[in-house]
């Protein structure tokens, strides 16, 4: 009653007004002034004017004298006050009930929202602590993120045996699942896949022998480490002359041919680096075998330390069930893969045995950029003496396990923000997988603590520990294959923690263009990089290098195969690559030494960056995905296409359809942006519709006109195949190379008008389809194509 009486007194003191206005304080450039805003709710506070009650009085009469009033007259005089009192009581009770209802509604969900201090961010409703703003969530996240656990987990994980399929991996799988089960997660489960992994045969190790001119097998060359091999290499023996092919890129092989050295039917000596192992052995018609050699050893790295990596092309997953899931060992018979060239044998050798091989090479001198420091004299291209390579790896059926933990979203639980890290390792794998695993577990614990303190994301958070990563991201790719029909409808973004800490000088992000703006925004917020007590000044942060996802990234298949925007980021050394990656010397001690004792701090910095990305992606009302960025990407590539417009015009061909499709995409993106800007912010139906259109933009760039079985990487900008923009540009370049009359050009290396028309149609209609999809419903499509 005292509160109600106070309301009555306050209402009587209000000055006469015709309307009521509610103000909120505005932060930012206009801080300090009050911004006018309509009050949230269906009922507004009633406004009252002071009233003076008078009876009829004749003009010119004198002032009335006080006299006694009969009981009935007193009642009539008091009636307006009674009505006013009743109205005030009703209004006050309604407002009190409305406020209480807002805090306890269990069914209205997001239909009632609280005004946020950050206009670009939707607050959370914490029934015990009140509204959680962006600054609250950021502070809460940093509060629960612990540095000590990261360091201990990295060290302990790197000491455990965890080769895919091993007993050590089985024990680690149980421990991590138990750790997730102890957290406040809504779901924890494991997916098991039965895959055929390739291992060296201890009884029949791989060998490399000299072969004389008569074809007689001679001295065996040491491979130093019998455990080092190339998973998914072809099996068998091959003999041929040795040729030096630099990094084994297509342009390197083309350069060899131009210098009169044909790689076909020979053994290639190829340097490690620049491109993945798989890409080095995938060029068409290159050789009988590859001998992959490490570059000169870096400081503190043994010259006898060979490097292990898969030659399964582009992180394809399991070659024997290529693009088919492997949930059951007997459900699907093995299917031959079109990915790794089945006739090419591959073997790793160390830097120590390379000089003697190079010294035997004759033929032309290698280009200057191909020269290294393993010999005092210049490298020659070859051919050289004969070698015999025997690859005896064997395939073993192996179960692998992916571990999942989920925090369900409150408004869009069927939309997933996915974050994952490789768990297995061929050696200690400190940088390869121990760091990522530790950060993943720390993020799970941190977000679980936030949930216990009132946080509930708008979208679901899905944490995944992958198995089989060292065999070509087998675990993650098998999962993608198994849920291919649904993931492009459910997964919003994939964030990879693999190779997250390889140094501490520069920040690199390999990502889809859709996430570039978000990454830049999070970096500019000045996270506490390096674990410092105060937020870092954004101007002091290392300039980020943001580039497209490469094929050897574990996140590549998410974007190029499924159509989900993905990012893989890492801190690296400024002057050199981390020398121990993929080796047995990738230990906690070596990684800590390379970082000069800053490993825990840098790992925490990565966890902070990843966590803030997850908060934005899972909790923003409108997805922070820059769907207009692909218009800039197309415009950049069109500049390359324009170079050949004259050559095409001379043949009666044109690129006009590509330009038109690009224009339609730009207009569709701008139209969607304007629709969002002018829409009612609190309309949840509209918000969800816009988010669905935004989250599927990456999928729009997967060509729907090619078969996933024949061209699994259907993305027209990042994929592989004749449907891609890269393939079209390579084909157009033949207009110039053929005009010079290059001798020995084969039919496949000649510009073909029919092939060009097909490539142009595939590219144009995929781009046009993206524009149409972004426009929304079919009755809203308005293009000029």
């Amino acid at each position: 009653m005292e509160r109600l009486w106070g309301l009555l007194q306050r209402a009587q003191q209000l000055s006469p007004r015709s309307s009521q206005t509610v103000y909120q304080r505005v932060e930012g450039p206009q801080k300090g002034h009050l911004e006018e805003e309509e009050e949230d709710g269906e009922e507004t506070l009633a406004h009252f004017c002071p009233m003076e009650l008078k009876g009829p009085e004749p003009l010119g009469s004198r002032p009335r004298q006080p006299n006694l009033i009969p009981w009935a007259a007193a009642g009539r005089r008091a009636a307006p006050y009674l009505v006013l009192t009743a109205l005030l009581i009703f209004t006050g009770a309604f407002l009190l009930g409305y406020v209480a209802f807002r805090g306890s509604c269990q069914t209205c969900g997001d239909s009632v929202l609280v005004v946020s201090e950050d206009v670009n961010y939707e607050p959370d409703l914490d029934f015990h602590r009140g509204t959680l703003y962006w600054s609250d969530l950021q502070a809460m996240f940093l509060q629960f993120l612990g540095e000590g656990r990261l360091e201990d987990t990295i060290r302990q994980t790197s000491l455990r045996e965890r080769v895919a399929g091993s007993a050590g991996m089985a024990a680690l799988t149980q421990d991590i699942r138990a750790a997730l089960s102890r957290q406040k997660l809504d779901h924890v489960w494991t997916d098991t896949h039965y895959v055929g992994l390739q291992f060296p045969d201890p009884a029949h190790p791989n060998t490399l022998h000299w072969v004389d001119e008569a074809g007689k097998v001679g001295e065996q060359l040491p491979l130093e480490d019998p455990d080092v091999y190339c998973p998914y290499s072809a099996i068998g023996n091959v003999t041929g002359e040795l040729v030096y092919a630099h990094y084994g890129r297509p342009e390197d092989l083309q350069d060899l041919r131009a210098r009169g050295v044909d790689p076909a039917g020979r053994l290639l000596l190829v340097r490690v680096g620049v491109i993945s192992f798989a890409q080095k052995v995938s060029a068409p018609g290159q050789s009988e075998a590859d001998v992959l050699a490490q570059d000169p050893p870096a400081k503190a790295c043994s010259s006898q330390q060979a490097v292990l990596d898969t030659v399964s092309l582009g992180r394809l997953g399991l070659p024997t069930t290529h693009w088919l899931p492997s949930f059951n060992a007997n459900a699907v018979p093995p299917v031959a893969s079109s990915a790794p060239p089945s006739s090419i044998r591959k073997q790793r050798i160390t830097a120590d045995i390379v000089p003697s091989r190079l010294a035997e090479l004759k033929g032309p001198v290698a280009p200057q950029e191909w020269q290294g420091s393993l010999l005092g004299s210049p490298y020659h291209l070859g051919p050289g003496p004969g070698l015999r390579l025997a690859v005896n790896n064997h395939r073993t059926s192996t179960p692998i396990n992916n571990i999942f933990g989920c925090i369900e979203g409150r408004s869009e639980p069927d939309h997933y923000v996915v974050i994952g890290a490789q768990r297995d390792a061929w050696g200690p794998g400190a940088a390869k997988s121990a760091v990522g695993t530790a950060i993943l577990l720390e993020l799970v614990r941190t977000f679980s603590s936030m949930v216990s303190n009132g946080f509930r994301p708008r979208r679901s958070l899905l944490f995944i520990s992958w198995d089989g990563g060292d065999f070509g991201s087998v675990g993650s790719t098998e999962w993608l294959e198994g849920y291919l029909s649904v993931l492009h409808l459910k997964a919003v973004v994939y964030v990879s923690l693999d190779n997250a800490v390889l140094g501490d000088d520069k920040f690199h992000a390999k990502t889809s263009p859709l996430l570039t703006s978000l990454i830049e925004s999070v970096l500019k917020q000045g996270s506490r990089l390096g674990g410092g007590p105060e937020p870092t000044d954004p101007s002091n942060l290392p300039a980020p290098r943001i580039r497209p996802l490469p094929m050897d990234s574990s996140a590549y298949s998410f974007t190029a195969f499924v159509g989900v925007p993905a990012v893989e980021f890492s801190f690296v050394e400024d002057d050199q690559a981390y020398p121990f990656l993929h080796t047995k010397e990738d230990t906690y001690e070596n990684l800590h030494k390379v970082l000069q004792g800053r490993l825990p701090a840098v790992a925490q910095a990565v966890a902070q960056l990843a966590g803030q990305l997850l908060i934005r992606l899972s909790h923003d009302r409108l997805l922070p995905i820059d769907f207009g960025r692909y218009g800039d990407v197309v415009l950049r590539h069109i500049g390359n296409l324009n170079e050949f417009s004259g050559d095409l015009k001379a043949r009666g061909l044109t690129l006009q359809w590509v330009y038109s499709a690009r224009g339609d995409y730009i207009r569709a993106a701008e139209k969607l942006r304007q629709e969002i800007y002018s829409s009612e912010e609190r309309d949840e139906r509209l918000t969800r519709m816009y988010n669905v259109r935004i989250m599927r933009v990456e999928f729009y760039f997967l060509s729907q006109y090619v078969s996933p079985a024949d061209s699994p990487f259907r993305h027209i900008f990042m994929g592989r195949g004749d449907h891609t923009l890269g393939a079209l540009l390579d084909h157009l370049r033949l207009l110039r190379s053929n005009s010079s009359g290059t001798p020995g050009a084969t039919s496949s290396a000649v510009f073909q008008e029919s092939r060009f028309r097909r490539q142009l149609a595939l590219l144009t209609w995929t781009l046009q389809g993206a524009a149409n999809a972004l426009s929304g419903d079919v009755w809203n499509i308005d293009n000029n194509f």
Side-chain angles (χ1 to χ4, degrees), residues 516-538:
T516 300
S517 297
L518 175 61
I519 294 169
E520 292 172 343
S521 172
V522 170
L523 288 174
K524 287 178 182 178
Q525 289 173 358
S527 315
R528 299 182 191 181
L529 294 181
E534 297 296 334
T536 302
D537 183 347

Side-chain angles (χ1 to χ4, degrees), residues 380-664:
H380 287 258
L381 298 177
L387 290 172
R388 181 178 184 271
L389 174 64
V391 178
N392 301 312
N393 305 333
H394 66 97
R395 178 178 172 270
T396 302
S397 180
T398 308
I400 61 172
N401 298 280
N402 299 323
I403 310 169
F404 301 81
C406 176
I407 298 174
E408 276 198 28
R410 59 184 167 84
S411 303
E412 302 177 39
D414 56 333
H415 292 163
Y416 319 144
V417 177
V418 187
I419 184 166
Q422 175 182 331
R423 183 173 75 255
D424 66 298
W426 167 70
K432 178 66 176 177
S433 63
V435 169
T437 297
I439 294 174
L440 181 73
L441 293 176
E442 187 63 13
L443 288 172
V444 171
R445 187 196 62 80
T446 301
F447 277 97
S448 174
S449 298
M450 293 174 67
V451 169
S452 298
N453 283 267
F455 169 72
R456 176 62 67 172
R458 180 184 180 93
R459 301 169 194 90
S460 296
L461 284 167
L462 186 56
F463 303 93
I464 310 178
S465 175
W466 303 114
D467 199 353
D470 267 357
F471 291 84
S473 298
V474 171
S476 61
T477 307
E478 291 296 328
W479 185 69
L480 293 177
E481 293 168 358
Y483 300 98
L484 181 62
S485 300
V486 71
L487 283 178
H488 73 279
L489 303 173
K490 303 284 189 178
V492 177
V493 165
Y494 177 66
V495 179
S496 171
L497 297 174
D498 294 341
N499 304 317
V501 178
L502 303 175
D504 65 350
D505 289 332
K506 297 290 184 182
F507 173 76
H508 285 190
K510 294 166 281 190
T511 182
S512 160
L514 296 176
L515 301 177
T516 300
S517 297
L518 175 61
I519 294 169
E520 292 172 343
S521 172
V522 170
L523 288 174
K524 287 178 182 178
Q525 289 173 358
S527 315
R528 299 182 191 181
L529 294 181
E534 297 296 334
T536 302
D537 183 347
S539 62
N540 294 330
L541 293 176
R545 181 187 177 192
I546 300 178
R547 59 190 181 93
L549 281 167
M551 286 193 68
D552 59 353
S553 167
S554 59
Y556 177 79
S557 290
F558 278 83
T559 299
F561 176 45
V562 182
V564 175
V567 57
E568 178 180 290
F569 45 78
S570 59
F571 285 92
V572 300
E573 289 298 293
D574 194 14
D575 55 345
Q576 67 173 5
Y578 176 65
F580 307 113
L581 196 63
H582 304 294
T583 76
K584 290 184 177 180
E585 294 183 20
D586 181 17
T587 63
Y588 173 86
E589 291 74 21
N590 279 337
L591 181 59
H592 202 271
K593 185 177 180 180
V594 167
L595 271 69
Q596 300 178 355
R598 284 177 46 81
L599 173 57
V602 178
Q604 187 184 29
V606 174
Q608 290 175 1
L609 174 62
Q612 292 185 71
L613 278 174
L614 294 181
I615 293 174
R616 292 291 310 277
L617 288 165
S618 67
H619 200 58
D620 274 12
R621 182 186 65 86
L622 198 67
L623 277 171
I625 292 177
D626 190 356
F627 51 85
R629 192 59 85 99
Y630 265 116
D632 301 331
V633 172
V634 178
L635 183 61
R636 244 187 351 260
H637 287 297
I638 281 180
N640 297 326
L641 293 174
N642 284 337
E643 178 185 349
F644 303 97
S645 58
D647 303 88
L648 291 173
K649 187 176 181 180
R651 292 171 172 259
L653 302 172
T654 179
L655 295 167
Q656 180 58 41
W657 302 120
V658 176
Y659 304 152
S660 179
R662 183 258 174 186
D664 286 341

Side-chain angles (χ1 to χ4, degrees), residues 7-145:
L7 269 174
L8 285 169
Q9 288 184 324
R10 183 180 177 190
Q12 290 174 348
Q13 294 170 359
L14 290 174
S15 59
R17 289 184 297 179
S18 61
S19 62
Q20 169 74 7
T21 305
V22 178
Y23 293 85
Q24 69 165 349
R25 187 165 300 278
V26 176
E27 302 293 335
Q30 300 176 337
K31 183 176 181 180
H33 84 282
L34 297 177
E35 180 181 73
E36 185 172 324
E37 175 181 314
E38 293 182 7
E39 183 181 6
D40 183 22
E42 299 176 0
E43 186 83 6
T44 57
L45 184 65
H47 308 287
F48 301 94
C49 298
M51 292 184 290
E52 181 181 3
L53 301 178
K54 295 182 179 181
E57 185 173 281
L59 290 174
S61 63
R62 59 184 173 85
R64 297 189 312 170
Q65 298 298 323
N67 51 18
L68 295 175
I69 304 174
W71 180 87
R76 288 194 299 270
R77 189 180 294 273
Y81 289 101
L82 293 175
V83 173
L84 176 61
T85 302
L87 182 59
L88 286 172
I89 292 173
F90 175 82
T91 304
F94 180 88
L95 289 175
L96 289 173
Y98 176 72
V99 172
F101 181 77
R102 287 179 67 184
S104 61
C105 175
Q106 301 299 318
T107 59
C108 57
D110 287 344
S111 61
V112 178
L113 298 176
V114 180
V115 176
S116 171
E117 291 179 0
D118 184 346
V119 296
N120 294 320
Y121 195 77
E122 176 191 359
D124 192 19
L125 297 177
D126 183 346
F127 303 145
H128 304 291
R129 299 177 52 187
T131 300
L132 290 176
Y133 300 102
W134 164 247
S135 57
D136 298 324
L137 292 174
Q138 192 177 37
M140 182 189 293
F141 173 77
L142 294 175
Q143 174 188 347
F144 291 119
L145 186 66

Side-chain angles (χ1 to χ4, degrees), residues 187-457:
H187 310 283
V188 176
W189 75 99
T190 301
D191 266 354
T192 300
H193 300 267
Y194 296 86
V195 299
L197 303 182
Q198 197 182 72
F199 297 95
D201 186 350
H204 302 90
N206 300 339
T207 59
L208 186 64
H209 289 81
W210 286 114
V211 175
D212 62 22
E213 295 181 356
K216 183 178 179 181
V217 177
E219 176 190 359
Q220 180 175 341
L221 301 171
L223 297 179
E224 305 298 345
D225 190 342
D227 292 334
V228 175
Y229 71 112
C230 292
Y232 301 126
S233 167
I235 308 302
N237 305 327
V238 62
T239 301
E241 296 176 304
L242 188 65
V243 169
Y244 173 50
H246 196 32
Y247 288 111
R249 298 168 296 183
E251 57 265 35
D252 296 333
L253 301 183
Q254 185 177 355
D255 202 353
L256 273 177
R257 296 186 185 96
R259 296 172 185 272
V261 180
D262 188 357
R266 289 171 167 147
L267 274 73
L268 299 189
L269 180 64
V270 178
R271 299 169 70 178
V272 171
V274 180
I275 60 175
S276 68
F277 283 20
Q279 289 171 287
K280 294 177 189 296
V281 302
S282 64
Q286 64 164 19
S287 66
E288 291 294 325
D290 281 333
V291 182
L292 304 166
Q294 187 174 342
D295 278 344
K299 184 178 180 181
C301 186
S302 169
S303 62
Q304 297 182 356
Q305 191 65 60
V307 182
L308 178 101
D309 199 2
T310 179
V311 292
S312 177
L313 180 61
R315 302 303 205 182
L316 292 182
L318 183 65
T320 53
T321 58
H322 190 42
W323 303 122
L324 294 173
S326 302
F327 283 105
N328 187 294
N330 300 315
V332 180
V335 178
S337 170
S338 61
S342 58
S343 62
I344 298 181
R345 286 81 173 169
K346 284 79 62 175
Q347 176 62 35
R348 285 304 319 276
I349 61 175
T350 62
D352 272 358
I353 67 172
V354 174
S356 59
R357 311 293 81 77
L358 288 171
E360 299 290 337
L361 292 178
K362 308 299 181 184
V365 175
Q368 182 60 41
E369 60 271 21
W370 290 29
Q371 297 293 328
S373 58
L374 289 176
L375 286 175
S377 57
Y379 291 11
H380 287 258
L381 298 177
L387 290 172
R388 181 178 184 271
L389 174 64
V391 178
N392 301 312
N393 305 333
H394 66 97
R395 178 178 172 270
T396 302
S397 180
T398 308
I400 61 172
N401 298 280
N402 299 323
I403 310 169
F404 301 81
C406 176
I407 298 174
E408 276 198 28
R410 59 184 167 84
S411 303
E412 302 177 39
D414 56 333
H415 292 163
Y416 319 144
V417 177
V418 187
I419 184 166
Q422 175 182 331
R423 183 173 75 255
D424 66 298
W426 167 70
K432 178 66 176 177
S433 63
V435 169
T437 297
I439 294 174
L440 181 73
L441 293 176
E442 187 63 13
L443 288 172
V444 171
R445 187 196 62 80
T446 301
F447 277 97
S448 174
S449 298
M450 293 174 67
V451 169
S452 298
N453 283 267
F455 169 72
R456 176 62 67 172

Side-chain angles (χ1 to χ4, degrees), residues 650-697:
R651 292 171 172 259
L653 302 172
T654 179
L655 295 167
Q656 180 58 41
W657 302 120
V658 176
Y659 304 152
S660 179
R662 183 258 174 186
D664 286 341
Y665 183 85
I666 295 296
R667 285 185 287 274
E670 183 58 29
K671 178 182 175 184
L672 177 57
R673 188 178 289 108
Q674 290 298 326
E675 285 182 18
I676 293 172
Y677 179 78
S678 60
S679 66
E680 170 54 50
E681 181 178 326
R682 304 183 189 280
D683 189 328
E684 276 300 304
R685 176 177 171 274
L686 272 179
T687 298
R688 182 177 176 86
M689 287 175 60
Y690 290 143
N691 281 335
V692 167
R693 284 162 68 180
I694 292 171
M695 68 178 279
R696 295 179 186 171
V697 167

